[in-house]
Amino acid sequence: KEDGVTLDPMTNYKIAVTTGDRRGAGTDANVFITLYGENGDSGQRKLDGPGNLFERAQTDNFGFDCVDLGKINKIRIGHDNSALFGSAWYLDKVLVTASPLNADAATPETTFYFMCGKWLAKNEDDGQIVRELPASNEDGSPSAPLVPYKINVFTADRRGAGTDANVYINVIGEKGDSGKRKLENPSKNLFERAGVDEFGFEAVDLGEIKKIVIGHDGKGFGAGWFLDKVTIKSESLGKEYFFICARWLDQHEDDGKIERERFELEQDGAGVSALIGYKIKVSIDDRSGAEPDSHA
């Protein structure tokens, strides 16, 4: 038998990142990107190099080699918000050009377009510093539009149920996942006992939602959290999904886990039984020795 090539084909990916022409658009934070294709993903890659990168109205070019991903359908790009001053970033667009490294490869060089036109900033737009962008054709019309999702998180009515830790969620559907998203709202005290908190995010269509992974970082005084349930509504489908938890996410309660995986249920329901108040009336007989002792 003849010998043959057993290694997966490799491809060089050239990435052109254009920062928008806006006041304060540039960033000094660390920027990273993940490419997602029909054959898998590239893993998170830091975009760095010589010079002053990601300045206003500037295009920066990067490149790396990895196993061929096939047709690129989306990217996830963001920064770590680490700059002492000027982490906010206005991303205009990203172009990814795939060039097969195999001399006999039949696939020609292909360019994929990812339009953004939004801030990646804690204090601008929707406060997100990581964005998922679908591939577009040359004229800029999205081939995989972003879908808005609405999340309601119900904290249980139990003593000490609330948390001040940082809570995150990953929504997993038949077409992919949202990635870990921090649930935050600077103007509200979140995840209080018996409270309901609403959040929203956009992602490339996840299809039918199958499960979620939700948890917190265990930081802060009283980090333990009793999560009742989570509901997620797909605005495009007009469909709501239900995830019952009814357990502690607490290193000192239950099984000690602070992250839980929950699968979708067909209908809504109470995660935990409602608390009922009781009044206790004690009558003491009017006779000698009837008074209670100090331990009653």
Side-chain angles (χ1 to χ4, degrees):
K1 295 182 179 179
E2 294 183 2
D3 193 10
V5 177
T6 59
L7 298 177
D8 292 327
M10 298 292 291
T11 295
N12 173 259
Y13 292 94
K14 297 181 180 67
I15 301 172
V17 179
T18 301
T19 299
D21 187 10
R22 298 285 190 279
R23 181 179 179 183
T27 185
D28 293 324
N30 297 305
V31 175
F32 54 86
I33 191 171
T34 305
L35 312 182
Y36 294 86
E38 57 190 358
N39 297 334
D41 66 80
S42 66
Q44 184 170 293
R45 306 288 182 121
K46 183 179 178 182
L47 299 179
D48 57 5
N52 202 6
L53 302 173
F54 311 114
E55 293 296 298
R56 177 175 176 174
Q58 176 176 295
T59 298
D60 299 294
N61 295 289
F62 310 90
F64 62 83
D65 298 339
C66 77
V67 173
D68 182 58
L69 302 175
K71 182 180 180 181
I72 307 297
N73 51 57
K74 69 177 181 179
I75 64 171
R76 193 172 291 154
I77 188 167
H79 62 78
D80 61 4
N81 204 45
S82 62
L84 186 60
F85 301 102
S87 284
W89 184 32
Y90 189 89
L91 174 60
D92 185 23
K93 62 182 179 180
V94 178
L95 272 61
V96 178
T97 300
S99 303
L101 295 177
N102 306 67
D104 58 348
T107 306
E109 185 175 87
T110 307
T111 299
F112 304 91
Y113 305 85
F114 303 89
M115 307 301 160
C116 184
K118 287 187 177 182
W119 286 97
L120 284 75
K122 291 282 189 178
N123 58 348
E124 297 281 357
D125 212 336
D126 57 5
Q128 299 294 322
I129 61 173
V130 178
R131 293 197 182 277
E132 194 169 276
L133 305 176
S136 303
N137 57 27
E138 281 190 78
D139 63 14
S141 61
S143 57
L146 293 175
V147 174
Y149 294 91
K150 184 182 294 182
I151 301 175
N152 284 309
V153 179
F154 296 74
T155 298
D157 185 10
R158 291 291 184 270
R159 181 178 180 182
T163 185
D164 292 324
N166 297 303
V167 175
Y168 60 85
I169 191 171
N170 186 10
V171 182
I172 299 100
E174 61 184 354
K175 296 182 179 179
D177 68 88
S178 67
K180 187 183 287 187
R181 307 285 183 116
K182 185 178 178 182
L183 300 178
E184 57 185 346
N185 182 349
S187 64
K188 184 181 178 185
N189 196 10
L190 301 173
F191 313 115
E192 294 295 296
R193 175 177 175 173
V196 181
D197 300 295
E198 183 178 300
F199 309 91
F201 71 91
E202 291 181 330
V204 173
D205 184 21
L206 302 174
E208 292 288 342
I209 298 175
K210 299 300 183 181
K211 66 179 180 178
I212 63 170
V213 176
I214 189 167
H216 62 78
D217 60 5
K219 295 182 179 179
F221 180 76
W225 183 34
F226 198 117
L227 172 61
D228 186 12
K229 63 181 179 179
V230 177
T231 65
I232 301 177
K233 185 175 182 179
S234 169
E235 300 288 358
S236 64
L237 297 177
K239 182 175 180 180
E240 194 165 16
Y241 301 85
F242 308 99
F243 305 87
I244 305 299
C245 183
R247 294 186 70 175
W248 285 99
L249 286 75
D250 190 340
Q251 293 171 331
H252 307 291
E253 297 280 355
D254 205 335
D255 58 3
K257 293 182 178 180
I258 59 174
E259 179 181 273
R260 297 203 179 274
E261 181 180 73
R262 284 292 176 263
F263 290 86
E264 187 256 342
L265 299 177
E266 291 185 358
Q267 60 185 15
D268 196 6
V272 294
S273 300
L275 293 179
I276 300 175
Y278 293 92
K279 292 182 179 179
I280 301 175
K281 184 177 181 180
V282 179
S283 298
I284 301 175
D285 200 358
D286 186 14
R287 64 182 68 185
S288 176
E291 293 82 0
D293 61 27
S294 60
H295 299 290

